[in-house]
Amino acid sequence: MTKLLSFLLALLCSFNVMAELRATGDLGIVIEREDGNALIINTTEHKRLAKIDKLGDLSHASVVFSRDQRYAYVFGRDGGLTKIDMLKDAVDKRIVQAGNSIGGAISQDGKLIAVSNYTPGGVKVFSADTLELVADIPSNYGEGLRSKVVGLVDAPGQRFVFSLFDAGEIWMADFKNPKTPVIKKFPSIGKQPYDALMSPDGHYYIAGLFGEPGLVLLDLWNTDAGVKHILPNYGKDDEKLPVYKMPHLEGWAIAGDYVFAPAIGQHKVLVIDKNTWELHDTISVAGQPVFVMARPDARQIWVNFAFPDNNQLQVIDVKDLALHKTLSPGRGVLHMEFTPRGEQVWVALRDDNQLVVYDTETLQEITRLPANKPNGIFFSSRAHKIGL
């Protein structure tokens, strides 16, 4: 009888363990900026699963994921780097590695985490497992100066690429041997590169310039050719409008033969021919674009805006290169994230303390979830995308 009871108890415990199993492919992180919290969410069931608190200043937070999609690495504005175990709903490890940070990246093999820093300027690289320091790359330039680092992304070949805002340079760090990384520098690219993106195939690194018109292109298949300037004269003679919020280049869209990019300080989306890297068209929109994001099948482009137009979303039809629909989800639209195959999009409404989910085919609202001042949505499917 004792053996039977022990067996039944063990069986019951195994059922409980099985009941607590959680798949990682449809998990995500939502940042609550005011409280310094991260919400773990399920994108299929539209559920909040847990709240991880006390993560510091998350006013400009970003997140990357381990390749098994179990761990989320949260980069805080205050230099905090937090590794969250999304299966245990707990912080696995946390460090404060700098005074002022602006995002990070995970290496191609998933073993390294890189962080771009404003103060002190440079990039620090850590073990994804232990968060122990692997390399420190100070962004030195000129006479004893250190530049703010922006636009840090992972690249094929176990590389990281990033831009130096103050120095006007792009650096590429090869980490095939983490103990002795090889740095290749591209100087004099233009004034004040403020952000950058990697093309989804890892072929091109594109940096936006704030201090002068145009963009800078680095072909990672032919780095010996140096950088190429794109649209150097666009907007040169236009009236300069106040810029209420800097666009995010990682939210740029590459759809088919076109790149869709926000025009800084203008109510326009630029359409750039990816074959020639020349301007193909412009699309007038409701305000100053912040994120210009493609649905995974590249048929739609979703655009949100800076204040005072940040209560709107607009959807562009790529087939016709024209506005298709204007949505008014609520106040303070800050960020969007598509489900892996694009049937839904989640939208953060900071001033309404909500997340709203839309069907991207019908453009109808599906549901809303509470969140306190949400400012970033990141799904674990990013684990398998280059540059995210």
Side-chain angles (χ1 to χ4, degrees):
M1 179 63 72
T2 303
K3 290 183 178 180
L4 179 61
L5 287 174
S6 297
F7 171 75
L8 290 174
L9 182 61
L11 189 62
L12 181 62
C13 289
S14 69
F15 285 152
N16 288 338
V17 169
M18 289 176 66
E20 294 172 1
L21 289 177
R22 180 188 297 171
T24 58
D26 59 357
L27 297 183
I29 295 288
V30 174
I31 300 298
E32 294 185 322
R33 61 182 292 165
E34 298 289 328
D35 296 335
N37 299 334
L39 305 179
I40 301 175
I41 50 107
N42 181 297
T43 64
T44 300
E45 299 179 2
H46 303 140
K47 287 174 56 177
R48 288 176 39 159
L49 302 177
K51 178 186 288 187
I52 311 298
D53 59 8
K54 300 178 181 178
L55 300 185
D57 182 356
L58 301 184
S59 58
H60 200 287
S62 61
V63 182
V64 299
F65 296 90
S66 60
R67 68 191 315 173
D68 62 6
Q69 299 175 307
R70 176 174 180 173
Y71 298 102
Y73 299 86
V74 181
F75 305 98
R77 190 61 188 259
D78 57 0
L81 170 57
T82 306
K83 181 181 180 181
I84 295 175
D85 188 331
M86 294 191 295
L87 296 186
K88 293 184 177 180
D89 298 338
V91 172
D92 183 79
K93 293 178 179 63
R94 174 172 164 78
I95 61 173
V96 177
Q97 53 81 41
N100 189 343
S101 299
I102 197 70
I106 188 167
S107 62
Q108 185 178 36
D109 65 1
K111 294 181 179 180
L112 301 174
I113 300 292
V115 189
S116 53
N117 293 319
Y118 275 9
T119 309
V123 170
K124 289 184 179 179
V125 180
F126 302 88
S127 162
D129 182 28
T130 65
L131 297 192
E132 293 178 351
L133 185 66
V134 172
D136 188 354
I137 306 172
S139 52
N140 296 328
Y141 77 103
E143 293 287 334
L145 301 174
R146 289 179 73 160
S147 174
K148 302 180 187 71
V149 172
V150 298
L152 170 65
V153 297
D154 64 282
Q158 197 66 358
R159 295 177 292 181
F160 295 109
V161 188
F162 49 93
S163 297
L164 278 60
F165 177 83
D166 304 291
E169 299 181 1
I170 292 174
W171 291 9
M172 183 172 62
D174 188 324
F175 270 83
K176 291 185 183 70
N177 185 345
K179 294 182 180 180
T180 56
V182 178
I183 312 297
K184 185 170 184 176
K185 301 179 181 180
F186 302 87
S188 304
I189 66 164
K191 295 180 182 178
Q192 298 175 326
Y194 68 90
D195 200 1
L197 83 153
M198 181 68 70
S199 62
D201 58 3
H203 189 169
Y204 299 105
Y205 178 84
I206 304 172
L209 299 175
F210 186 68
E212 63 181 82
L215 314 166
V216 178
L217 173 77
L218 177 63
D219 185 341
L220 297 185
W221 293 7
N222 185 21
T223 57
D224 289 341
V227 300
K228 175 182 179 179
H229 284 78
I230 308 170
L231 311 183
N233 297 313
Y234 179 78
K236 196 172 186 179
D237 300 321
D238 292 350
E239 178 186 359
K240 298 297 184 289
L241 299 175
V243 178
Y244 294 105
K245 183 174 176 61
M246 291 298 292
H248 285 257
L249 271 69
E250 286 188 13
W252 282 22
I254 296 181
D257 291 330
Y258 299 117
V259 178
F260 294 80
I264 296 178
Q266 299 183 39
H267 296 190
K268 294 180 181 179
V269 170
L270 309 180
V271 183
I272 303 166
D273 187 318
K274 192 161 66 76
N275 298 308
T276 64
W277 296 106
E278 295 179 353
L279 185 66
H280 174 79
D281 200 354
T282 63
I283 301 172
S284 296
V285 289
Q288 294 182 11
V290 177
F291 284 99
V292 177
M293 302 179 69
R295 197 171 71 177
D297 67 351
R299 177 59 194 271
Q300 294 176 344
I301 305 296
W302 287 58
V303 187
N304 76 325
F305 305 101
F307 179 85
D309 303 297
N310 58 348
N311 64 332
Q312 300 181 71
L313 284 170
Q314 290 192 310
V315 182
I316 295 171
D317 187 326
V318 172
K319 177 173 168 287
D320 299 324
L321 295 182
L323 282 178
H324 174 57
K325 184 81 170 179
T326 298
L327 303 172
S328 299
R331 300 175 301 155
V333 177
L334 284 197
H335 197 226
M336 301 167 285
E337 183 84 336
F338 290 95
T339 49
R341 298 198 180 194
E343 79 282 358
Q344 296 175 7
V345 63
W346 289 49
V347 180
L349 305 179
R350 179 195 60 199
D351 300 337
D352 283 342
N353 297 311
Q354 288 182 328
L355 305 168
V356 59
V357 184
Y358 283 100
D359 181 311
T360 59
E361 188 68 26
T362 66
L363 303 182
Q364 297 299 307
E365 181 180 318
I366 296 173
T367 190
R368 293 186 179 233
L369 288 79
N372 188 37
K373 306 297 182 187
N375 70 318
I377 307 172
F378 306 89
F379 292 165
S380 62
S381 54
R382 287 172 171 245
H384 308 300
K385 295 179 181 178
I386 297 170
L388 294 178

